[in-house]
């Protein structure tokens, strides 16, 4: 039995590497489909090397255009940030005292910080989208198949998404927190897990310091509700218990005069109190006392100081009038 064996062709020394001729043919085919590239080829009198040079020029144009678009996008975002920071959203009904200037300054600073943070995020997103699209376009121009790359990136993204669900949740919660201006640095908030002053805010975590000096790091995705004690204005109130047989009308008149004097105090009016304090009258009745309540609208985080000043003045006023205070 005779076996005929056909000798195999010798292995190419460049086995495993792309064939240069095929690469040139592919780039020529891509170039002929592009009006810009084909126009450049015509300018070079259809020389054999013209498609390569024209493709290189087009790639350079793509890169330059990507950086120009990135620069324009960043300028537009910066302009939007400045415009957002300059807008005033404070209500007209709170503009009744000199202390509202401080509220305006605080709100403007919060708005500026929020806008700058969101601007930074938008700039990063714009850079990734524009430069990523440019890279894929250049790879396509070089006849490098991008379908497997996109498939791999998609699979990797799904895997990372499953492994980093909590991280994604924290970032999304942080984005909405910044957009809605729920709190900012310097605010006193109740985040459920901790109560304290906000020292730092990022898209992932919020750092708080409580009254004992303990620092808390709270992930934004775990915060289900926020109680903000420092947004816009605060309220100080003082309960005044007097003897049950005291003259109710006289006590109320004294407290109203005290509220007017407090409002007339230039130091408090300029830096702490937003509106004239009010006497709500009899707030509570007990077996041994009648409780009046005085309230004052203050700047954020100034309610404790105003309440202390109210207690001192109430005690002095009632002592001068001979009206004793009793335990509630």
């Amino acid at each position: 039995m005779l076996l005929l064996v056909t000798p195999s062709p010798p292995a190419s020394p460049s086995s495993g590497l792309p064939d240069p001729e095929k690469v040139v043919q592919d780039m020529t085919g891509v170039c002929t489909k592009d009006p810009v590239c084909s126009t450049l080829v015509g300018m070079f009198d259809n020389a054999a090397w013209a498609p390569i040079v024209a493709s290189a020029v087009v790639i350079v144009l793509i890169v330059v255009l990507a950086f120009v678009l990135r620069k324009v996008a960043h300028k537009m975002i910066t302009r939007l940030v400045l415009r957002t920071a300059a807008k005033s959203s404070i209500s007209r009904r709170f503009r009744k005292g000199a202390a509202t200037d401080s509220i305006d300054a605080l709100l403007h600073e919060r708005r500026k910080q929020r806008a700058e943070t969101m601007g930074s995020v938008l700039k990063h997103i714009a850079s990734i989208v524009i430069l990523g699209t440019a890279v894929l376009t250049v790879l396509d121009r070089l006849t490098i198949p991008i379908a497997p790359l996109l498939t791999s990136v998609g699979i990797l993204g799904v895997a990372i998404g499953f492994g980093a669900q909590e991280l994604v949740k924290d970032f999304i919660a942080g984005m909405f927190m910044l957009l809605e201006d729920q709190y900012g640095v310097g605010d006193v908030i109740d985040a459920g897990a901790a109560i304290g002053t906000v020292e730092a805010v990022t898209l992932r975590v919020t750092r708080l310091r409580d009254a004992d000096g303990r620092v808390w790091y709270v992930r934004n995705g775990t915060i289900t509700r926020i109680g903000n004690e420092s947004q816009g204005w605060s309220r100080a109130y003082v309960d005044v218990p007097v003897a049950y047989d005291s003259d109710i009308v006289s006590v109320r008149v004294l407290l109203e005069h005290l509220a007017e004097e407090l409002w007339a105090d230039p130091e408090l009016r300029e830096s702490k109190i937003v509106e004239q304090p009010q006497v709500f009258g009899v707030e509570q009745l007990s077996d041994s006392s009648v409780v009046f309540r005085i309230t004052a609208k203050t700047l954020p985080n100034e309610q404790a100081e105003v309440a202390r000043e109210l207690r001192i003045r109430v005690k002095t006023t009632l002592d001068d009038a001979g009206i004793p205070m009793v335990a509630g």
Side-chain angles (χ1 to χ4, degrees):
M1 185 175 182
L2 182 62
L3 295 178
L4 297 177
V5 179
T6 303
S8 58
S12 173
S14 60
S15 178
L17 298 177
D19 187 2
E21 295 183 359
K22 186 176 184 306
V23 172
V24 172
Q25 292 176 359
D26 292 341
M27 292 183 66
T28 303
V30 172
C31 187
T32 55
K33 297 178 183 178
D34 184 2
V36 177
C37 191
S38 58
T39 302
L40 292 174
V41 171
M43 294 175 60
F44 295 134
D45 297 329
N46 295 319
W49 47 265
I52 303 298
V53 176
S55 298
V57 172
V58 171
I59 289 173
V60 172
L61 291 176
I62 291 173
V63 174
V64 172
L65 181 61
F67 280 99
V68 171
L69 287 176
R70 177 176 174 269
K71 188 72 174 179
V72 172
H74 283 197
K75 282 189 175 181
M76 293 178 62
I77 292 171
T78 301
R79 185 176 301 176
L80 178 63
V81 166
L82 294 176
R83 185 178 303 174
T84 303
K87 288 183 179 179
S88 175
S89 62
I90 187 170
S91 175
R92 292 286 182 183
R93 59 180 178 175
F94 298 139
R95 300 181 182 271
K96 296 183 179 180
T100 54
D101 293 338
S102 299
I103 293 181
D104 283 334
L106 290 173
L107 291 179
H108 174 73
E109 186 63 26
R110 287 169 58 87
R111 205 159 41 243
K112 181 180 177 182
Q113 292 176 357
R114 186 174 75 253
E116 288 177 351
T117 303
M118 291 306 303
S120 177
V121 174
L122 291 176
K123 286 179 180 179
H124 281 89
I125 293 175
S127 297
I128 292 173
V129 172
I130 294 174
L131 297 182
T133 303
V135 169
L136 292 178
T137 305
V138 169
L139 291 177
D140 184 58
R141 286 282 175 182
L142 296 174
T143 68
I144 298 176
I146 60 176
L149 177 63
L150 294 176
T151 303
S152 302
V153 171
I155 295 174
L156 181 62
V158 172
I160 293 176
F162 277 112
Q165 294 183 44
E166 296 299 328
L167 183 63
V168 174
K169 182 180 178 182
D170 294 339
F171 272 94
I172 293 176
M175 288 283 292
F176 278 103
M177 180 271 297
L178 291 172
L179 285 172
E180 297 169 0
D181 191 23
Q182 297 175 8
Y183 55 87
V185 175
D187 287 356
V188 178
I189 66 170
D190 178 357
I195 301 174
T197 303
V198 179
E199 290 191 339
V201 178
T202 66
L203 288 177
R204 195 180 71 84
V205 297
T206 296
R207 191 175 78 220
L208 304 175
R209 187 178 296 274
D210 62 17
D212 297 329
R214 187 182 298 109
V215 177
W216 294 80
Y217 294 88
V218 184
R219 288 185 13 240
N220 295 330
T222 62
I223 301 176
T224 57
R225 56 109 173 119
I226 288 290
N228 194 328
E229 300 180 10
S230 307
Q231 204 164 47
W233 52 271
S234 300
R235 189 185 297 278
Y237 70 90
V238 173
D239 288 336
V240 184
V242 298
Y244 204 85
D245 56 355
S246 299
D247 186 347
I248 302 300
V249 176
S250 298
V251 173
R252 177 157 189 167
V253 169
L254 287 172
L255 295 179
E256 288 176 348
H257 282 307
L258 183 150
E260 293 175 359
E261 292 175 358
L262 196 73
W263 179 241
D265 189 326
E267 182 179 353
L268 293 175
R269 188 168 178 174
E270 290 288 336
S271 60
K272 299 186 185 306
I273 302 178
V274 177
E275 291 183 0
Q276 180 173 343
Q278 297 186 5
V279 179
F280 284 171
V282 178
E283 180 72 18
Q284 183 181 353
L285 294 173
S286 67
D287 296 337
S288 58
S289 65
V290 178
V291 180
F292 288 83
R293 173 167 290 184
I294 306 177
T295 66
K297 187 176 291 185
T298 71
L299 290 175
N301 297 328
E302 296 290 345
Q303 68 270 26
E305 178 112 5
V306 173
R308 295 188 193 101
E309 183 66 22
L310 275 172
R311 294 187 189 98
I312 294 173
R313 298 197 180 207
V314 165
K315 178 67 168 60
T316 303
T317 300
L318 294 183
D319 287 347
D320 293 342
I323 300 176
M325 296 180 64
V326 297

